[in-house]
Amino acid sequence: MRKEIHLEHSSLKYPLPEQFVQELSEELAFMNEYPSGGSYKTLSAKLAEYTDIAPDCILPANGSDEVIESITRAFGNRLILIPIPTFSQYEVSAERNGLNKKFVPCLEGHNYRLVYCEEDLKKASLIWICNPNNPTGSSIPREEIKRVLDIAPGIVAVDECNYEYLGESVVDLIEQYPNLAISRSFSKNFGLAGLRLGFAVSSSKNIVEIARYGQHFRVNKMAERAGIKVLKYLDYFQNIWQEIARTRDFFIAGLKGLNIMVLPSKTNFVLVDFTTEEKARKIWNFLRGEKVFTVAGWEQEFSGLDNQYLRFTISNQEEMSFVLELLKRFPENTS
Ligand SMILES: Cc1ncc(COP(=O)(O)O)c(C=O)c1O
C-alpha cells in the first residue's frame, strides 16, 4: 500500500543524521536531571556562535511559537500590526492575550510587499514581519525592513523561522536598532519540530524583558542537548536545504508547465493559486483521496489567506514528481 504524503506542515521531510540520533538517544539516561534553565548558558553560547552575536542577545525558547507569544505579551500592549496573509500565531497570540491588533493586507496579485503606512507604524507598539513570509514564500527586501525600523518607535519583530532557506538575516542590525527583535527556529531547517526549540535575538535589555514572559525551564533538557549538538551537523543540513531548493524549483516549473499559477518561493513550501475556492476544494479533496495532504486557506493556519490557495511543503524529488503526476491527471486544473 502506498504511504501517505504529508505536505501540510512545513517540517523537514528528511531523516535526522544517524549519528545525531545515536548521540541524542544516549542523552535519555540523563533525563532525571533538570535542564539548565534561565539563560541556558551553554546553549545560548552555541546559538550566539551560530548567529554571530553576543550570548546575552539570545534567549532559547520552547519553539519559535513561544518566542512569538513572549514578544506579544512583552510589547503588544498598545497596537499590534500583522501583515496578511501570514503565519497565524501572531494573531492567535494577540487574541489569547486580549490585545489590540490590526491586519494590513500586503498581497497585491501575487506580489507580497510590506505596505505599512507611517501613521500605523507610529501608533503600534509591536509590528510583525515574517521573512520569508509564510505562506507566500516571499522574501522581504532588507531596505523595506529598515524603513519600518526607522519609522516605528515600537518593537519590530522579524520572524526568521525559515532563515536557513532564504540565507538573509537582519541579525546584524540588532546593535543599530534597539527596537528590533528576531525569532528563529530549529523546526524546519534542523528537523527538530517535535522537540520544540527556537530562540529570540534582540538587545540584551529586550531579552530580559522577553524572558519575563516565559518559564525558568522553558526549554526541556532533551531539546537543550539537541540544540547544543545539532550544529555539528551543519554540513548535512546545508546539503538538504540545497536539495530542497532544487526540488522546489523543479516543482514550480512543473506547475507552470501545467498552467497552474504559483507564487515565487524562497523557502521550503510553495503557495499555489487555483483561482477559485471551488477548484481549490476539488483539488484538495482529490489529493486527499490519493493520500496527499496539503494545507488550504480555509484551515486557519494562516491569517488572511484566501480560499483559492493551497500550500505545498517541499519534500523529496520522488514525492513532488508524484504530486505533479497527480495534478496532471486532474483534468479540470488546467482549464
Ligand atoms: C513563520 C513561522 N514562524 C514560526 C513558526 C513556529 O515554529 P516553531 O516550530 O519553532 O514553533 C512557524 C511554523 O510553522 C512558522 O511558519
Side-chain angles (χ1 to χ4, degrees):
M1 216 169 67
R2 195 175 54 72
K3 72 176 175 61
E4 296 182 344
I5 300 181
H6 285 275
L7 307 180
E8 66 274 58
H9 296 299
S10 57
S11 50
L12 193 71
K13 310 292 177 195
Y14 283 74
L16 294 168
E18 272 176 39
Q19 175 70 22
F20 174 58
V21 173
Q22 177 61 33
E23 279 191 66
L24 271 194
S25 57
E26 286 162 17
E27 293 289 337
L28 278 172
F30 303 100
M31 288 306 120
N32 55 336
E33 295 169 8
Y34 275 103
S36 303
S39 66
Y40 287 83
K41 225 166 155 219
T42 311
L43 176 59
S44 291
K46 277 267 175 240
L47 301 178
E49 201 184 308
Y50 177 57
T51 336
D52 198 16
I53 194 124
D56 62 353
C57 294
I58 298 267
L59 183 75
N62 182 32
S64 62
D65 272 357
E66 194 198 16
V67 177
I68 294 169
E69 178 74 10
S70 298
I71 287 180
T72 300
R73 292 179 64 197
F75 304 111
N77 57 323
R78 277 201 319 280
L79 171 67
I80 302 174
L81 297 184
I82 302 176
I84 57 168
T86 197
F87 185 52
S88 62
Q89 290 308 307
Y90 319 130
E91 172 188 357
V92 170
S93 281
E95 294 267 315
R96 185 163 39 229
N97 293 289
L99 298 169
N100 192 14
K101 60 173 190 319
K102 178 172 177 178
F103 290 136
V104 179
C106 289
L107 190 61
E108 246 190 61
H110 288 161
N111 197 9
Y112 181 89
R113 283 201 45 231
L114 278 187
V115 290
Y116 285 136
C117 70
E118 213 167 311
E119 197 190 337
D120 282 346
L121 287 174
K122 290 210 158 123
K123 270 199 286 199
S125 55
L126 174 60
I127 297 130
W128 282 105
I129 297 175
C130 186
N131 189 32
N133 186 49
N134 184 7
T136 55
S138 337
S139 64
I140 315 293
R142 187 177 169 88
E143 288 314 308
E144 280 188 30
I145 301 176
K146 281 177 90 170
R147 175 190 159 259
V148 172
L149 282 161
D150 281 328
I151 299 172
I155 290 287
V156 178
V158 183
D159 183 341
E160 293 188 351
C161 153
N162 278 300
Y163 153 74
E164 280 76 6
Y165 296 101
L166 179 64
E168 289 166 20
S169 169
V170 286
V171 163
D172 61 302
L173 298 180
I174 292 285
E175 233 177 87
Q176 189 183 342
Y177 290 101
N179 59 338
L180 172 61
I182 294 165
S183 172
R184 289 276 191 93
S185 171
F186 276 77
S187 292
K188 295 132 205 302
N189 39 15
F190 290 98
L192 298 181
L195 212 44
R196 315 300 301 131
L197 182 64
F199 61 104
V201 188
S202 195
S203 68
S204 53
K205 184 167 165 265
N206 289 339
I207 287 293
V208 170
E209 189 57 23
I210 297 166
R212 286 181 53 219
Y213 293 89
Q215 297 177 29
H216 180 69
F217 293 122
R218 70 186 86 75
V219 175
N220 71 68
K221 191 172 178 76
M222 201 57 154
E224 179 185 12
R225 300 300 299 156
I228 290 168
K229 287 170 181 291
V230 76
L231 291 166
K232 277 196 297 193
Y233 300 93
L234 193 56
D235 286 354
Y236 172 89
F237 289 104
Q238 276 171 338
N239 282 334
I240 290 179
W241 303 335
Q242 282 169 11
E243 199 170 318
I244 289 175
R246 281 194 295 273
T247 310
R248 175 197 64 210
D249 295 344
F250 156 82
F251 186 62
I252 288 177
L255 290 170
K256 286 184 177 165
L258 296 173
N259 289 327
I260 298 173
M261 284 194 286
V262 53
L263 277 69
S265 169
K266 297 280 186 183
T267 183
N268 67 333
F269 50 76
V270 294
L271 190 66
V272 184
D273 183 354
F274 289 104
T275 64
T276 64
E277 174 172 350
E278 193 193 351
K279 203 154 152 187
R281 280 192 187 270
K282 277 189 191 165
I283 289 175
W284 185 78
N285 278 323
F286 166 70
L287 292 175
R288 283 177 95 79
E290 298 287 341
K291 298 195 203 156
V292 174
F293 299 87
T294 63
V295 62
W298 56 84
E299 289 182 284
Q300 309 200 326
E301 181 146 336
F302 311 108
S303 302
L305 181 66
D306 286 345
N307 291 346
Q308 75 218 44
Y309 291 102
L310 301 183
R311 196 199 69 176
F312 293 70
T313 299
I314 302 300
S315 67
N316 56 42
Q317 177 87 14
E318 190 192 338
E319 290 191 346
M320 299 320 289
S321 302
F322 180 71
V323 175
L324 283 175
E325 279 307 312
L326 287 179
L327 289 171
K328 206 184 283 177
R329 267 177 33 207
F330 187 79
E332 278 183 68
N333 76 354
T334 50
S335 57

